[in-house]
Amino acid sequence: MKGPKPENVPAVVGTIAALIGLADVAAGVIPRWRWSKVHALAEVLPGTVTQLAAAGSIIVGILLLMLAHGLKRAKKRAWMAAVVLLPIGAAAQLIYRHSRIGTILSLLLFVYLLRHKKAFDALPDSRSRWKALANLIVMGGVSFALGWVIVGSHANQMVGDPPVLEQIEHVVWGLFGFEGSVRYTGGTDYVVGYSLGALGLLTVLSTAYLLFRPEYPAPLLTEQDEDRLRELLAKHGARDSLGHFALRRDKSVVFSPSGKAAVSYRVVSGVMLASGDPIGDVEAWPGAIEKFMELAKRHSWTPAVAGCSQTGGEVWTRETGLDALEMGDEAIVEVADFSLSGRSMRNVRQMVKRIERNGYTTKVRRVGDLNPEELAAVQKAANAWRDTEDERGFSMALGRIGDPKDLDAIIATAHKDPEEGEDLPFGDLRAMQHYVPWGPDGSSLELMRRDRSADPGMNELLIVAFLQAAPELGIKRMSLNFAFFRSALERGGKLGAGPVVRIQRAVLIFLSRWFQIESLYKFNEKFRPIWEPRFVVFPNSRDLPRIGFAMMQAEGFLELPRLLRRRPADPSVIMDDEETVEQSEVTRAA
């Protein structure tokens, strides 16, 4: 019988390690069975040795369960730890449970790991306080549950009939290394005591390891990387409206061997997530994609691309063998074709006229044309008007305003003089929008913010103002937002739509209560845009939930608790350049 393919070895080993870990935990928790012929050999060993073996079996089992995921991801450190633990687990199985089968299985996996050492070469992930806290909570809960099972599984050796609360108290004290009030006969006190103490010690040590282990450099965009990207964008930036967002400074980048193309990305929850198309010459894309895939393999990250165009998706799937799925459409407005006249634009036209009659005026300028006081007011207002504590966005967000290198970006602002007695922190500034370059003659909407006390329709007002001022600024096209699953929403609302499409639409409308799916589609549709499909590229269908979760984290829809995140040094800036992002180690391609 042929063994698994080399690329499948880590997955097989991880599954077997998890099963052996469960067996080791069961061996330590359940009272020992004396059916084995090895019983006579084990009986000659001192009693303390067998009691320690019981605790050792539990600890090794839990550690193997914790290592199983790392083994599946071919992590080198997980392999090293498993090689050390498996012989210990085999000895514990033999001494305490007298199980020849358990011992042999552990040793067989040990030999198999040694034979396939080269398959486990993935680099470790970075340190994270979130992992340490999660470990403390999860391991604490697991240790308490196992401890309760251990205490209750020796009921025949209990002295008397202690109530449940007394047993719980015994578990808690035991996890902290103290002796509880429950008593056993036949030396079982030591077995239970060693096991509870070992569980508590494992919880503390594993949490301390995750908290204090060395941290690997966060993969932030260096100044040299940014300069090289800007050179590529100056030559090829008109190809993709998302190109400028590769300059986010919490992203990393890999370049093709020729340096003529690059892929920007961020690592989120083990997913190496690129956004948009590769930057640079299309002919050099395969080289950059190859470097991207090599780095993902080296770290055992799951490669994925969010929001690439149809051309980008075709190149990604052709060069990597990955699959693609349409995730939505991008709304693009041609400046020359835009007009407020006509029945289809009646609602927008009426809203804009009404707001203008209420005393609002607009200004559309390059960032470099704002004086320092105006720019500072825009930056502070953008932070103050933000709905969430942190800046959202990944695929279509730059995360900063007014950087000296982004002076060609465009700011559209809405103004209205305060009424008598009205005290506004930013004077007459009531709303703002930020547009980043899309090649020499295009712009991409990056940020929309408004004062909550301002009249409804500020975003429509500023988009119209931008489109009307665009010819003077040399802008011929403007990218609005993504409309996720737009085609499903559109098809599901048409007469004669099938039941499957209608169900899809109903689910999307339901999800729109929490995520801006339907509202973004309806908002973009007001401006009669050209719809350009965007795709997500992924390895396998089973990876989609994980990739979707990572995308939501990257976009800021799923946020970690405040205590687990690092804060920007200067809250007056949209995103501080020195902000550290907890990610995995990166080796940049030369």
Side-chain angles (χ1 to χ4, degrees):
M1 181 181 296
K2 295 183 179 180
K5 296 180 180 180
E7 60 270 20
N8 295 332
V9 167
V12 173
V13 169
T15 301
I16 296 176
L19 295 175
I20 292 177
L22 288 173
D24 284 343
V25 172
V29 171
I30 300 174
R32 54 182 174 174
W33 302 330
R34 296 193 171 272
W35 50 268
S36 172
K37 293 182 179 179
V38 194
H39 168 66
L41 175 62
E43 280 297 304
V44 302
L45 298 172
T48 303
V49 174
T50 58
Q51 292 153 7
L52 286 173
S57 180
I58 296 173
I59 299 306
V60 170
I62 293 176
L63 289 175
L64 285 176
L65 288 171
M66 295 172 64
L67 291 171
H69 181 63
L71 290 171
K72 288 183 178 181
R73 295 180 61 198
K75 293 294 184 180
K76 187 175 182 179
R77 285 190 176 180
W79 177 90
M80 295 171 62
V83 166
V84 173
L85 289 173
L86 284 169
I88 299 174
Q93 287 270 10
L94 183 66
I95 295 173
Y96 181 68
R97 190 168 175 249
H98 322 320
S99 170
R100 289 179 298 176
I101 297 178
T103 302
I104 291 172
L105 287 176
S106 296
L107 293 178
L108 285 176
L109 183 59
F110 170 75
V111 173
Y112 192 78
L113 279 172
L114 292 178
R115 181 180 177 184
H116 294 278
K117 177 182 178 180
K118 294 182 179 179
F120 298 86
D121 58 355
L123 297 176
D125 293 331
S126 65
R127 174 175 69 83
S128 171
R129 287 173 290 181
W130 163 247
K131 292 180 181 178
L133 181 60
N135 181 83
L136 178 63
I137 296 173
V138 174
M139 276 298 299
V142 170
S143 297
F144 176 80
L146 286 177
W148 198 356
V149 173
I150 292 171
V151 170
S153 64
H154 297 82
N156 294 334
Q157 285 80 34
M158 283 184 182
V159 176
D161 186 17
V164 173
L165 289 178
E166 188 175 349
Q167 294 181 35
I168 293 176
E169 181 184 358
H170 189 83
V171 173
V172 174
W173 283 111
L175 292 175
F176 283 95
F178 299 103
E179 186 176 356
S181 58
V182 179
R183 293 292 177 265
Y184 297 88
T185 60
T188 306
D189 281 309
Y190 295 102
V191 175
V192 174
Y194 280 130
S195 299
L196 293 177
L199 286 171
L201 184 62
L202 175 62
T203 301
V204 173
L205 291 181
S206 59
T207 301
Y209 169 74
L210 292 172
L211 185 61
F212 298 111
R213 66 177 175 171
E215 182 176 9
Y216 297 93
L220 302 180
L221 195 68
T222 67
E223 186 174 353
Q224 182 182 8
D225 291 337
E226 185 175 342
D227 291 341
R228 294 177 67 184
L229 283 175
R230 288 184 184 275
E231 291 177 5
L232 293 177
L233 288 170
K235 297 178 182 178
H236 308 281
R239 228 212 54 81
D240 186 15
S241 62
L242 272 62
H244 199 83
F245 301 116
L247 299 175
R248 281 183 65 103
R249 289 167 184 159
D250 58 356
K251 287 183 177 180
S252 287
V253 62
V254 290
F255 290 90
S256 65
S258 65
K260 294 182 179 180
V263 176
S264 66
Y265 68 92
R266 185 196 297 173
V267 179
V268 183
S269 298
V271 176
M272 189 175 181
L273 188 63
S275 60
D277 291 344
I279 308 299
D281 188 354
V282 176
E283 297 297 326
W285 283 8
I289 291 173
E290 182 181 0
K291 290 292 185 181
F292 178 90
M293 297 299 291
E294 287 178 358
L295 190 59
K297 182 179 179 181
R298 185 181 179 192
H299 288 265
S300 192
W301 292 328
T302 300
V305 186
C308 64
S309 68
Q310 184 163 342
T311 301
E314 290 173 352
V315 176
W316 273 101
T317 55
R318 184 187 70 228
E319 297 295 327
T320 64
L322 301 178
D323 203 354
L325 179 69
E326 185 175 342
M327 63 180 289
D329 296 87
E330 178 187 9
I332 296 175
V333 179
E334 295 288 345
V335 173
D337 297 336
F338 177 78
S339 173
L340 281 177
S341 62
R343 184 177 180 83
S344 62
M345 296 298 295
R346 183 179 60 181
N347 290 338
V348 175
R349 182 173 63 251
Q350 290 177 346
M351 178 175 290
V352 170
K353 294 298 183 183
R354 177 181 57 80
I355 296 173
E356 289 176 344
R357 286 196 299 269
N358 289 343
Y360 286 88
T361 59
T362 59
K363 297 179 182 179
V364 181
R365 295 165 289 174
R366 298 279 182 183
V367 171
D369 295 334
L370 274 69
N371 61 49
E373 292 76 15
E374 290 176 318
L375 181 58
V378 168
Q379 290 175 329
K380 293 178 181 179
N383 274 304
W385 296 338
R386 187 171 55 212
D387 291 332
T388 57
E389 183 179 352
D390 289 331
E391 198 71 34
R392 281 184 174 178
F394 171 70
S395 300
M396 296 188 71
L398 186 62
R400 60 181 183 267
I401 294 177
D403 188 89
K405 293 184 177 182
D406 297 322
L407 298 182
D408 53 347
I410 297 174
I411 290 285
T413 53
H415 304 266
K416 182 183 179 183
D417 292 332
E419 297 180 3
E420 186 177 352
E422 188 177 17
D423 184 19
L424 297 176
F426 307 109
D428 65 347
L429 182 62
R430 307 305 294 270
M432 57 80 59
Q433 289 180 354
H434 186 224
Y435 297 80
V436 299
W438 171 15
D441 59 359
S443 285
S444 291
L445 176 60
E446 189 263 337
L447 192 69
M448 298 188 294
R449 295 282 163 78
R450 60 183 290 271
D451 186 347
R452 291 184 178 275
S453 64
D455 291 3
M458 289 292 103
N459 289 326
E460 289 88 340
L461 173 69
L462 289 178
I463 289 175
V464 170
F466 174 88
L467 290 169
Q468 292 175 338
E472 296 181 5
L473 296 171
I475 302 301
K476 297 180 180 179
R477 54 186 177 167
M478 184 258 282
S479 171
L480 280 170
N481 298 299
F482 278 174
F484 290 96
F485 308 109
R486 180 198 68 87
S487 57
L489 286 170
E490 186 180 50
R491 291 195 307 267
K494 289 183 177 179
L495 182 66
V500 175
V501 178
R502 288 185 178 182
I503 291 174
Q504 290 178 341
R505 184 174 186 274
V507 171
L508 292 174
I509 292 176
F510 175 77
L511 293 176
S512 296
R513 299 179 181 181
W514 297 277
F515 308 107
Q516 294 179 340
I517 298 176
E518 186 184 24
S519 59
L520 272 178
Y521 163 56
K522 290 184 176 180
F523 177 83
N524 292 336
E525 184 65 23
K526 292 179 181 180
F527 301 94
R528 303 303 173 200
I530 300 170
W531 293 106
E532 295 288 344
R534 290 282 177 168
F535 299 85
V536 57
V537 179
F538 57 95
N540 298 288
S541 297
R542 63 176 179 270
D543 295 316
L544 281 175
R546 184 182 181 191
I547 292 171
F549 183 79
M551 289 172 60
M552 294 177 70
Q553 281 184 283
E555 296 289 352
F557 293 112
L558 293 178
E559 300 177 0
L560 297 179
R562 289 183 60 185
L563 295 177
L564 305 179
R565 295 174 289 164
R566 296 185 178 183
R567 309 301 308 151
D570 184 2
S572 67
V573 182
I574 293 289
M575 179 179 288
D576 191 86
D577 294 346
E578 299 297 325
E579 182 181 6
T580 302
V581 179
E582 297 274 350
Q583 295 184 127
S584 303
E585 177 193 12
V586 161
T587 302
R588 288 186 170 85

